Amino acid sequence: MVQARMQHANPPAVTEPALDAQTRERLGRQLQALYDPVLDEALDPRLAALIRQLETDRRETDSH
């Protein structure tokens, strides 16, 4: 049991990325094409109001 704990104490070895540069770039372009339309969507007004309130509360907390 002590030996099992010792095995987990060592951090995993650093490895190179499993995907080559061309694959990573292609994946990045596909993800950007997928998410760009989402970024252009309007934020729900209730969520926008909540975010504004949180920002106001944070500023008030930071000023005290």
Side-chain angles (χ1 to χ4, degrees):
M1 183 152 171
V2 173
Q3 191 175 28
R5 283 188 209 152
M6 290 176 57
Q7 289 176 350
H8 294 291
N10 296 330
V14 176
T15 59
E16 291 296 317
L19 302 175
D20 61 29
Q22 182 180 8
T23 303
R24 289 193 309 273
E25 286 184 28
R26 188 178 75 240
L27 181 58
R29 286 191 303 272
Q30 290 173 343
L31 287 170
Q32 186 170 4
L34 178 68
Y35 284 108
D36 274 348
V38 175
L39 295 174
D40 293 334
E41 290 180 11
L43 191 59
D44 182 298
R46 295 172 295 173
L47 182 57
L50 178 61
I51 291 171
R52 282 192 300 274
Q53 184 61 50
L54 289 170
E55 289 173 348
T56 300
D57 292 350
R58 186 185 67 208
R59 282 193 300 271
E60 289 174 0
T61 301
D62 290 346
S63 67
H64 289 114

